[in-house]
């Protein structure tokens, strides 16, 4: 949230004089522009010192008819908005995420047009028009004969041609990023021949007129985009290319210096009698063809689950081969590995190539999991043992493990955390990290420690942080701004008062606190699954925690308290047991915050996905 100096009335309220308010004209009637509720609505109420009896509609732009009965409170806020300086409007527009709202704002008046255009055209999406539509709307579009053949790419081609020849240079100057989505025909398959003219002729010439282009994100592995890559390489800004959906099908014909991000998902298990599976060697070839690569994300899908195992005709290649022997890694700053088996080839040791070829001092972000490469231990344990003593300058670390494929305690993780002291962000899901092992990371700002709800021996509760642990964490990491931890309820659903009071009285710099509580599953694979033994999370139950919490905390920087249930990191080899269906129906998420004007705690159900 941002704060500015504004004039004060004699009664102390912050507002602008009504004489400075102005109406704004646009479209077919008088438009009065409201604020986005999520970040700016409350600020505008504070700024203009009004008490709104009828709240401004959230998440949209308000069009009010030209009548004399307009609500005076709303009119006061909305009309006053017109007098804001361009700098304040720039901050407000940063919070407008819907393109249709930006388009409406650009048509309000001449003063808003250049500011709204800067955000409206900042990111150009090349792809089907119906990507952002509701599924039912998508079906309607697809069944229109005149649209079904053209929707996949004609709209994108028309946009490219219009911007390339537009007499208004403000729109092309506003373009900073291009996103290229997959193109599909009526049956959902990629229709490469239809879009080939766009990528081989129109788009390479188009990027040449974009003076401020900095990023191109490609979410499809085909076509090869060779002409586009050449045009980007010749661009004076040298835009960064992000390959975000690779499947090892891209042909590598030479160096690709513009590529800075690769996100690939491959499986080494599918082959044919005539052709072996070379997906991982192909990713390796792409990796070393990008000398300026900064971020690598590699997810290897192992031969997990299913009723039938695929027939393997050739040797399975599960790791990089380093055939040349002297490969030097690009200057990676971010590395994400999931299911990658570094020791798959017993005859060739791979770790020395990583140890000696990677510049570990550049690596700032590391993510491991959740896919395992063996079933009898955590997927990242062996990698953490290898990386210890080398990855010593990390700023962000993420460790994830599937719920039923690890233990509450991961000793290699604890040992790795104590080997350096530079973390600012740590996310661990499935394992509990002792607070003592975090004491050296005094600069932590974002911390998530989530030990999942799984079947444990009888009378063995899910491990959570105690009052002593919270006190030590507060003393060791005083700069924490976001914190996500687990909290337990008793059999009646009561919250632990000592934990709530400890959280309310500590972490003075905290902005967002998230508490994850159990559902109370019995973990029965049979059809006679019992109902949860804990009360379901609802608004009333959230209030019993949020109200005493905010009352005890008093004035602070904290803006939101989130309480949620349910696990996202579960997988099953064939079918979901009954308890999983029960868990999905009992997964909830609530946000609570303190309304500063009257210090009333507000609670709202949020997205149920965890």
């Amino acid at each position: 949230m941002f704060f500015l100096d504004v004039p004060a009335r004699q009664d102390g309220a912050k507002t602008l004089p009504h004489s400075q308010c102005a109406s704004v004209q646009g479209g077919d009637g008088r438009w009065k522009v409201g604020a986005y509720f999520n970040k700016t609505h409350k600020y505008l109420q504070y700024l203009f010192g009004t008490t709104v009896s009828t709240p401004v509609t959230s998440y949209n732009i308000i069009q009010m008819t030209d009548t004399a009965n307009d609500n005076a409170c709303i009119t006061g806020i909305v009309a006053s908005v017109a007098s804001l300086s361009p700098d304040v409007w720039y901050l407000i527009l940063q919070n407008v995420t819907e393109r249709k709202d930006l388009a409406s704002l650009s048509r309000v008046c001449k003063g808003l047009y250049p500011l709204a255009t800067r955000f409206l055209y900042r990111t150009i999406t090349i792809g089907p028009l119906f990507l952002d539509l509701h599924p039912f709307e998508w079906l309607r579009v697809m069944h229109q004969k005149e649209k079904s053949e053209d929707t996949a790419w004609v709209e994108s081609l028309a946009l490219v041609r219009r911007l390339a020849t537009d007499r208004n240079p403000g729109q092309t100057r506003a373009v900073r990023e291009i996103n290229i989505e997959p193109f599909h025909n009526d049956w959902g398959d990629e229709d490469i021949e239809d879009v080939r003219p766009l990528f081989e002729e129109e788009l390479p010439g188009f990027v040449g007129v974009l003076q401020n282009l900095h990023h191109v994100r490609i979410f499809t592995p085909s076509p090869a985009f060779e002409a586009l890559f050449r045009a980007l390489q010749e661009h004076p800004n040298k835009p960064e290319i992000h390959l975000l959906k690779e499947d090892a099908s891209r042909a590598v014909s030479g160096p690709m210096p513009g590529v800075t991000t690769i996100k690939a998902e491959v499986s080494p298990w599918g082959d044919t009698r005539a052709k072996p599976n070379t997906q991982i060697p192909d990713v390796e070839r792409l990796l070393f063809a990008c000398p300026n690569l900064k971020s690598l994300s590699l997810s290897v899908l192992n031969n997990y689950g299913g009723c039938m195992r695929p027939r393997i005709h050739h040797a399975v290649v599960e790791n990089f081969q380093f055939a040349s022997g002297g490969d030097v890694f690009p200057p990676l700053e971010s590395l994400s590995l999931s299911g990658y088996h570094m020791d798959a080839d017993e005859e060739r040791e791979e770790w020395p190539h990583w140890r000696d070829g990677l510049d570990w001092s550049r690596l700032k972000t590391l993510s491991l999991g959740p896919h395992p490469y063996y079933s009898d231990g955590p997927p990242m344990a062996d990698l953490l043992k290898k990386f210890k003593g080398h990855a010593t300058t990390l700023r962000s670390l993420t460790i994830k493990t599937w719920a039923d494929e690890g233990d509450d305690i991961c000793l290699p993780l604890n040992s790795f955390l104590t080997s350096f002291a530079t973390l600012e962000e740590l996310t661990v899901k499935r394992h509990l990290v002792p607070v003592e092992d975090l004491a050296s990371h005094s600069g932590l700002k974002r911390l998530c420690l989530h030990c999942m709800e799984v079947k444990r021996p009888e009378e063995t509760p899910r491990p959570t942080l105690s009052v002593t642990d919270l006190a030590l964490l507060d003393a060791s990491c005083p700069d924490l701004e976001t914190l996500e931890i687990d909290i337990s309820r008793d059999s009646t659903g009561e919250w632990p008062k000592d934990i709530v009071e400890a959280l309310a009285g500590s972490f003075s710099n905290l902005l967002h606190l998230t508490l994850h509580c159990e559902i109370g599953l019995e973990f029965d694979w049979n059809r006679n699954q019992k109902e949860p033994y804990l009360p379901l999370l609802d608004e009333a139950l959230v209030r019993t925690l949020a109200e005493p919490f905010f009352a005890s905390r008093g004035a602070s920087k904290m803006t939101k308290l989130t309480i949620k249930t349910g696990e996202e990191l579960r997988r099953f080899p064939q079918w979901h047991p009954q308890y999983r269906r029960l868990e999905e129906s009992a997964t909830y998420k609530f946000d609570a915050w303190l309304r500063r004007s009257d210090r009333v705690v507000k609670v709202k159900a949020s997205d149920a996905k965890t």
Side-chain angles (χ1 to χ4, degrees):
M1 184 171 290
F2 45 87
F3 297 93
L4 300 173
D5 266 340
V6 294
R9 294 191 309 220
Q10 292 182 355
D11 58 3
K14 301 282 186 175
T15 186
L16 288 176
H18 190 72
S19 59
Q20 296 185 23
C21 301
S23 329
V24 283
Q25 301 287 334
D28 298 327
R30 187 179 60 173
W31 284 80
K32 296 189 175 78
V33 184
Y36 256 51
F37 176 81
N38 56 348
K39 289 188 179 178
T40 58
H41 177 222
K42 293 181 179 179
Y43 167 68
L44 289 176
Q45 288 187 0
Y46 166 80
L47 183 65
F48 297 110
T50 58
T51 303
V52 181
S53 55
T54 303
V56 178
T57 304
S58 307
Y59 301 107
N60 59 13
I61 304 303
I62 303 172
Q63 183 182 17
M64 304 182 68
T65 56
D66 193 5
T67 64
N69 329 347
D70 292 345
N71 181 277
C73 297
I74 296 180
T75 302
I77 292 180
V78 177
S80 299
V81 167
S83 64
L84 294 177
S85 69
D87 292 337
V88 177
W89 267 113
Y90 187 87
L91 295 175
I92 294 175
L93 289 172
Q94 284 180 330
N95 298 316
V96 181
T97 56
E98 295 293 335
R99 294 181 62 84
K100 62 180 180 180
D101 293 339
L102 289 170
S104 298
L105 280 168
S106 68
R107 294 191 292 267
V108 167
C109 62
K110 292 182 179 180
L112 274 181
Y113 175 78
L115 287 173
T117 298
R118 183 179 301 181
F119 290 92
L120 180 61
Y121 287 91
R122 181 182 183 89
T123 302
I124 297 297
T125 299
I126 308 296
L129 176 66
F130 50 76
L131 281 175
D132 297 330
L133 297 181
H134 187 277
F136 293 109
E137 183 71 9
W138 179 85
L139 290 175
R140 184 186 66 79
V141 173
M142 290 297 290
H143 282 84
Q144 292 179 351
K145 186 61 179 175
E146 67 275 15
K147 296 288 290 183
S148 61
E149 296 179 357
D150 299 338
T151 298
W153 63 282
V154 168
E155 286 82 359
S156 294
L157 183 59
L159 175 65
V160 168
R161 287 175 175 172
R162 182 180 69 78
L163 289 178
T165 59
D166 201 339
R167 296 181 179 180
N168 183 357
Q171 295 178 353
T172 55
R173 284 200 301 265
V175 178
R176 301 290 196 276
E177 305 167 347
I178 295 178
N179 293 340
I180 301 178
E181 302 283 352
F183 287 78
H184 302 281
N185 57 22
D186 290 352
W187 298 100
D189 301 321
E190 289 197 5
D191 200 348
I192 302 303
E193 293 303 321
D194 284 346
V195 302
R196 194 174 298 280
L198 174 62
F199 293 122
E200 293 187 353
E201 302 170 12
E202 305 284 349
L203 199 54
F206 171 60
V207 299
V209 304
L210 303 179
Q211 307 171 20
N212 298 315
L213 183 64
H214 294 291
H215 297 276
V216 177
R217 300 182 180 91
I218 302 177
F219 294 88
T220 175
S222 56
F225 303 101
E226 293 181 356
L228 176 60
F229 286 171
R230 288 194 298 269
L232 292 173
Q233 183 60 27
E234 296 171 0
H235 196 284
N237 290 346
K238 296 294 185 291
E240 296 184 5
I241 303 173
H242 308 269
L243 306 178
L244 300 178
K245 199 174 180 180
E246 295 300 295
D247 61 1
S249 63
R250 185 180 303 279
V252 179
S253 57
M256 305 170 70
V259 176
T260 60
T261 303
I262 294 176
K263 185 176 182 180
E265 184 175 87
V266 297
S267 174
W269 294 96
D271 65 0
T272 63
R273 190 178 298 274
K275 183 181 179 181
N277 185 310
T278 61
Q279 290 194 13
I280 289 185
D282 291 340
V283 171
E284 179 186 2
R285 192 177 301 110
L286 176 63
L287 164 65
F288 289 104
C290 305
N292 298 316
L293 191 70
K294 298 178 182 178
S295 176
L296 172 65
S297 175
L298 176 58
S299 179
V300 181
L301 303 179
N302 294 299
N303 196 12
Y304 175 81
C307 298
M308 298 180 63
R309 296 279 179 162
R311 178 175 294 181
I312 305 299
H313 303 280
H314 305 274
V316 178
V317 181
E318 299 183 71
N319 58 335
F320 294 161
Q321 300 301 293
F322 296 98
S324 61
D327 298 292
V328 176
F329 279 82
L332 292 178
E333 298 176 3
S334 174
L335 176 63
S336 176
L337 298 175
S338 179
Y340 184 74
H341 193 170
M342 193 172 289
D343 295 325
D345 192 343
E346 297 180 356
E347 299 180 358
R348 182 187 294 109
E349 190 176 4
E350 181 182 352
W351 165 240
H353 296 278
W354 288 80
R355 181 192 61 204
D356 302 332
L358 183 64
D359 187 353
W360 296 93
S361 64
R362 291 179 174 269
L363 191 65
K364 304 302 179 184
T365 302
L366 177 63
S367 176
L368 300 178
H371 295 315
Y373 52 74
Y374 58 94
S375 60
D376 57 349
M380 83 301 294
D382 190 58
L383 291 178
L384 288 173
K385 293 177 182 178
K386 290 180 168 61
F387 292 172
K388 180 181 178 181
H390 299 279
T392 58
T393 59
L394 294 179
R395 295 289 184 266
S396 174
L397 175 64
T398 300
I399 301 294
K400 295 181 179 180
T401 304
W402 293 108
D404 296 313
E405 300 178 15
D407 299 321
D408 291 338
I409 302 299
C410 180
L411 295 179
L413 172 59
N414 300 343
S415 177
F416 178 76
L417 287 170
T418 57
S419 65
F420 64 106
T422 58
L423 281 180
E424 296 177 0
E425 180 176 358
L426 174 63
T427 299
V428 180
K429 294 190 176 182
R430 178 61 182 96
H431 312 287
L432 181 67
V433 178
V435 176
E436 292 80 2
D437 295 338
L438 301 176
S440 59
H441 300 278
S442 58
L444 270 176
K445 295 183 178 180
R446 293 168 291 278
L447 175 63
C448 171
L449 298 178
H450 176 41
C451 204
M452 300 176 187
E453 183 177 5
V454 297
K455 186 175 183 178
R456 293 182 171 86
E458 293 186 6
E459 300 181 359
T460 302
R462 180 177 64 159
T464 58
L465 297 183
S466 65
V467 173
T468 304
D469 293 332
L470 292 174
L472 178 58
L473 181 62
D474 185 25
S476 303
C477 307
D479 297 330
L480 278 175
E481 297 177 355
T482 63
L483 175 63
E484 179 175 352
I485 58 175
D486 300 323
I487 189 171
S488 297
R489 298 179 286 166
D490 61 23
S491 58
T492 64
E494 292 292 327
W495 303 103
K497 294 183 179 180
D498 56 343
I499 298 296
V500 175
E501 292 175 357
L503 288 170
S506 54
F507 305 107
S508 59
N509 291 311
L510 201 61
L511 302 177
H512 185 193
L513 173 63
T514 300
L515 300 176
H516 199 295
C517 59
E518 295 175 296
I519 295 175
L521 299 174
E522 294 288 351
F523 296 101
D524 188 353
W525 280 71
N526 300 321
R527 294 183 181 274
N528 56 348
Q529 171 68 39
K530 299 178 181 179
E531 292 296 315
Y533 60 83
L534 291 175
L536 293 180
L537 189 68
D538 57 14
E539 181 177 339
L541 192 58
V542 171
R543 284 189 176 276
T544 62
L545 186 151
E547 290 179 350
F549 173 84
F550 283 110
S552 299
R553 189 164 184 83
S556 69
K557 300 178 181 179
M558 190 169 170
T559 58
K560 185 165 64 173
L561 168 66
T562 299
I563 304 176
K564 62 182 182 178
T565 58
E567 306 292 353
E568 59 179 344
L569 290 174
R570 293 198 196 275
R571 67 172 185 171
F572 306 95
Q574 293 185 31
W575 58 81
H576 287 190
Q578 186 68 22
Y579 74 80
R580 178 54 176 170
R581 298 184 181 92
L582 185 61
E583 179 181 37
E584 291 174 349
S585 66
T587 296
Y588 297 103
K589 181 178 178 181
F590 290 89
D591 292 329
W593 66 95
L594 184 66
R595 192 165 62 189
R596 300 184 186 278
S597 58
D598 53 7
R599 299 196 63 79
V600 172
V601 175
K602 307 294 290 184
V603 178
K604 181 185 69 172
S606 184
D607 184 9
K609 299 296 183 182
T610 57

